[in-house]
Amino acid sequence: MSIKVENLTKYYGNHPAVKNISFEINTGEIVGFLGPNGAGKSTTMKMITTYLTPTEGKISVEGNDTENDPKIVRAKIGYLPEQNPLYLDMNVLDYLKYAAKLESVPKEKISSALNRIIKDCGLDEVKHMDIGQLSKGYRQRVGLAQAMIHDPDVLILDEPTSGLDPNQIIEIRNLIKRLGKQKTLILSTHILQEVQAVCDRVLIINKGEIVADGSPDELQKKFQGQVLIKLTVKKGGELNGKFESEIKSIPGIEKISQVSEDEKQLRYEILASKGSDLREAIFNKLVEKKLTLLELYQETTSLEDIFRELTIK
Amino acid sequence: MQNILTITTKELRSFFTSPVAYIIIVVFLAITGWFFTSTLFVGGFVTMRGVLDMIPFIYLFFIPAISMRTLSEEKKSGTIELLLTKPISDVDIILGKFFSVLTLAIITLLPTIVYVIMLTMLGPIDPGAIFSAYIGLILMSALYISIGIFSSSLTENQVVAFIISFLFVFILFMLNKVLIFLPTSLATILEYIGTDYHFSSIARGVIDSRDIIYYLSGISIFLLLTKLSLESRKW
């Protein structure tokens, strides 16, 4: 077991950012934290890296408790924070050397570690340039190189591809896949394709809770065949707060969420159990309530829909 | 220890790779040079007094200016998160920053020794008093730097950090100047807290352990406050 998180809770003042989550990550797994912005992904990562302390709960990394042995935990982790902070006035080589020293890479091994990481991350052309002069893609490589300089067992990358152009995204993803071999790797993202492209396992996090856990294929299988009904209703009549619970009372309906609202109409997405066809039941319910149906459309779910369903309020 | 040295070296390099350090040194030397030449050539006195009395005033602005970016810059750019997740302690980071700024302050002070050398050629001076005045200046700058670093840890904004540390330093310095307006009982306590009282005692040529303890404890208090301020992210 590489990382073990038990009943983790974090409050910022009165606001809960992470609510009682538990999970385990095995050595060598590539895990993606998937969730909308503000879901608690970064907060969870910051607690694993010991930057923040949990309000409640325990985290252990390679058997070491984050609160009792923070230095041991930090030495085992390579971390790329969100937005990839860098010293823009330093040149690449100096910066990586600085990172190596702070990671307590032994003096005689520093130059070989530098050579290795510069080669692995493709930084040879730019190693004498100031970081401030580099493109975003290269900066991201420097950030990764910094995180990997001491060859850590665990690699934690917070939104490693945000803000990059499509070509750079693919480049960085390939780099992550290549470097992440034989390492426990956690990366966070709000892009679904990224998880499908890189990860063995995905934890979907929403509002501080884990709402799904499994490999991308498993999740797809589990939710595949579930029925997604898109419903648009004209405003007016008896359309009020009760409407959602009325629809929910139809047997077979698992979840209803409002997607949008304008002055004329309301859009809903309804998740129904596998193989069901509840269009008629919904129609009848609307007629009963004297509501005007504008649109009713049914499809089976894709992974994208699952993500949307799980993370919409 | 190794980590402190690593951070100090890195900080000093970044001071000297940007023009900021050079500008600061030049401005400092221009001001002290003016006071030196005016007492020597205009006043006709062979003495360091003019310069040594002036430097504490310059330090009121100078030290907050060179220490304001130490932590606020790291907070603003987010690199503080990198630093605090490396296998080093918060104390390493704070001391590394502290010694780098102190080194810069000493480097800036060193060229003024040229004035002392010039004076020895012109007439008799009191080398003991001058030497202890330099010790006093270094201790004073060290205290101000610890205040500057603490202020810098409170905010992401360098200007705000500058203003906070200037206020602290200014109050500590001015305490001894306003004592005459205060009742005697209060005055004796406040006299001890003020920096100027201890500096002038050292600058007279008497290095008293009480003054040394005053500076060292002041430095420790502000560096500890900085540590608390860094830890407050976890609260």
Side-chain angles (χ1 to χ4, degrees):
Chain A
M1 196 77 57
S2 185
I3 296 173
K4 195 173 174 186
V5 171
E6 287 171 274
N7 308 322
L8 189 68
T9 300
K10 177 73 187 177
Y11 276 88
Y12 289 128
N14 287 323
H15 167 74
V18 173
K19 297 179 210 159
N20 196 28
I21 65 173
S22 302
F23 59 87
E24 286 174 3
I25 296 173
N26 292 320
T27 310
E29 250 184 325
I30 300 183
V31 178
F33 284 2
L34 182 63
N37 294 327
K41 296 169 298 196
S42 292
T43 307
T44 308
M45 290 184 149
K46 283 177 185 177
M47 287 189 280
I48 299 174
T49 58
T50 77
Y51 181 69
L52 294 176
T53 326
T55 312
E56 270 166 59
K58 278 180 74 164
I59 305 170
S60 77
V61 177
E62 305 277 335
N64 303 288
D65 189 272
T66 49
E67 280 188 81
N68 299 333
D69 301 309
K71 276 196 196 175
I72 303 176
V73 170
R74 290 177 196 170
K76 294 201 179 290
I77 292 178
Y79 177 41
L80 176 68
E82 206 174 352
Q83 313 291 350
N84 185 22
L86 293 165
Y87 298 101
L88 300 182
D89 56 343
M90 281 179 103
N91 83 40
V92 175
L93 207 57
D94 284 343
Y95 175 59
L96 292 178
K97 205 181 279 177
Y98 178 57
K101 283 183 184 165
L102 291 182
E103 293 286 2
S104 330
V105 176
K107 235 182 192 147
E108 64 279 6
K109 287 191 185 155
I110 286 183
S111 70
S112 67
L114 284 174
N115 287 336
R116 171 182 60 84
I117 205 74
I118 283 173
K119 194 169 143 270
D120 283 353
C121 295
L123 287 168
D124 203 43
E125 289 165 45
V126 298
K127 66 182 174 189
H128 294 297
M129 279 167 76
D130 280 355
I131 295 173
Q133 300 172 320
L134 301 180
S135 69
K136 239 183 151 182
Y138 269 119
R139 286 187 197 187
Q140 211 69 18
R141 287 161 183 242
V142 174
L144 279 171
Q146 164 276 131
M148 304 269 303
I149 190 82
H150 56 304
D151 200 14
D153 299 334
V154 178
L155 201 53
I156 296 181
L157 312 174
D158 199 351
E159 306 214 347
T161 58
S162 78
L164 300 179
D165 72 33
N167 290 332
Q168 292 169 329
I169 288 181
I170 291 170
E171 240 171 64
I172 295 292
R173 268 185 210 160
N174 290 337
L175 189 61
I176 291 172
K177 265 203 260 183
R178 196 151 44 82
L179 299 178
K181 273 177 197 158
Q182 292 132 12
K183 285 190 196 304
T184 308
L185 199 157
I186 306 178
L187 65 92
S188 75
T189 177
H190 53 261
I191 308 161
L192 191 77
Q193 289 79 5
E194 190 143 293
V195 168
Q196 281 174 310
V198 182
C199 303
D200 305 333
R201 178 177 160 202
V202 47
L203 292 176
I204 300 181
I205 299 179
N206 188 41
K207 290 181 155 184
E209 288 170 294
I210 295 180
V211 288
D213 179 359
S215 74
D217 289 345
E218 268 171 28
L219 283 187
Q220 192 136 25
K221 242 178 237 161
K222 185 170 163 195
F223 290 92
Q224 190 99 63
Q226 262 192 334
V227 175
L228 184 72
I229 301 164
K230 294 185 177 168
L231 172 68
T232 310
V233 186
K234 192 175 171 185
K235 262 195 169 172
E238 286 180 58
L239 189 63
N240 51 32
K242 274 192 193 155
F243 175 70
E244 289 187 22
S245 55
E246 294 268 6
I247 291 286
K248 232 178 178 172
S249 68
I250 300 172
I253 288 197
E254 293 177 358
K255 199 173 176 234
I256 173 166
S257 38
Q258 187 183 315
V259 187
S260 68
E261 176 177 8
D262 56 36
E263 63 269 31
K264 285 187 188 140
Q265 58 190 26
L266 281 167
R267 282 173 197 278
Y268 292 95
E269 283 190 3
I270 298 166
L271 204 61
S273 56
K274 227 178 225 182
S276 63
D277 186 351
L278 297 170
R279 283 176 292 183
E280 198 177 341
I282 292 170
F283 177 74
N284 287 337
K285 188 64 114 187
L286 290 172
V287 171
E288 187 189 307
K289 294 280 159 199
K290 296 197 177 67
L291 291 169
T292 313
L293 175 68
L294 296 177
E295 220 176 304
L296 182 62
Y297 173 72
Q298 173 171 312
E299 61 184 17
T300 49
T301 52
S302 68
L303 199 53
E304 196 123 15
D305 297 323
I306 298 166
F307 174 60
R308 274 171 53 72
E309 278 311 313
L310 290 171
T311 55
I312 278 176
K313 47 184 171 175
Chain B
M1 199 54 219
Q2 192 56 50
N3 293 329
I4 298 174
L5 193 67
T6 305
I7 293 171
T8 304
T9 324
K10 184 250 155 195
E11 289 293 309
L12 275 176
R13 278 183 76 160
S14 74
F15 272 129
F16 285 98
T17 48
S18 76
V20 183
Y22 301 101
I23 293 171
I24 282 173
I25 293 174
V26 166
V27 169
F28 181 83
L29 291 176
I31 298 173
T32 53
W34 188 78
F35 278 96
F36 175 71
T37 46
S38 62
T39 40
L40 182 64
F41 297 118
V42 183
F45 302 110
V46 178
T47 172
M48 275 300 277
R49 277 244 79 95
V51 178
L52 293 178
D53 286 348
M54 202 53 216
I55 291 178
F57 282 98
I58 301 173
Y59 274 180
L60 292 180
F61 304 92
F62 173 71
I63 301 289
I66 59 173
S67 46
M68 66 184 182
R69 59 182 281 281
T70 45
L71 289 165
S72 57
E73 176 98 346
E74 303 250 13
K75 285 180 100 161
K76 189 168 193 172
S77 69
T79 45
I80 191 79
E81 195 170 333
L82 278 177
L83 217 46
L84 290 169
T85 51
K86 298 284 182 218
I88 56 178
S89 66
D90 295 3
V91 177
D92 289 341
I93 297 168
I94 296 166
L95 287 181
K97 299 269 179 188
F98 173 76
F99 286 121
S100 71
V101 184
L102 185 61
T103 313
L104 180 67
I106 293 172
I107 291 173
T108 314
L109 195 57
L110 279 181
T112 62
I113 290 176
V114 174
Y115 308 154
V116 182
I117 297 168
M118 283 167 72
L119 289 183
T120 54
M121 297 173 188
L122 296 172
I125 52 161
D126 180 352
I130 290 178
F131 176 75
S132 59
Y134 272 96
I135 299 287
L137 285 176
I138 290 171
L139 285 170
M140 185 185 238
S141 59
L143 175 63
Y144 290 0
I145 289 165
S146 67
I147 293 171
I149 290 177
F150 169 63
S151 312
S152 183
S153 75
L154 297 176
T155 167
E156 296 188 348
N157 187 327
Q158 294 188 20
V159 178
V160 174
F162 176 84
I163 292 168
I164 296 171
S165 59
F166 173 74
L167 282 178
F168 266 111
V169 166
F170 184 73
I171 290 168
L172 279 182
F173 184 75
M174 289 311 282
L175 268 182
N176 299 112
K177 315 279 177 200
V178 297
L179 287 177
I180 36 169
F181 305 112
L182 297 170
T184 346
S185 54
L186 201 61
T188 38
I189 301 170
L190 290 180
E191 184 180 44
Y192 186 79
I193 297 175
T195 51
D196 200 38
Y197 166 71
H198 300 276
F199 174 70
S200 27
S201 141
I202 295 178
R204 270 199 304 274
V206 193
I207 300 184
D208 188 332
S209 57
R210 268 178 306 176
D211 300 325
I212 306 276
I213 288 168
Y214 164 80
Y215 281 114
L216 293 184
S217 51
I219 293 164
S220 318
I221 288 169
F222 281 102
L223 292 183
L224 277 174
L225 285 174
T226 312
K227 185 174 184 292
L228 285 180
S229 155
L230 279 185
E231 275 166 7
S232 69
R233 72 179 187 276
K234 294 182 172 178
W235 298 344

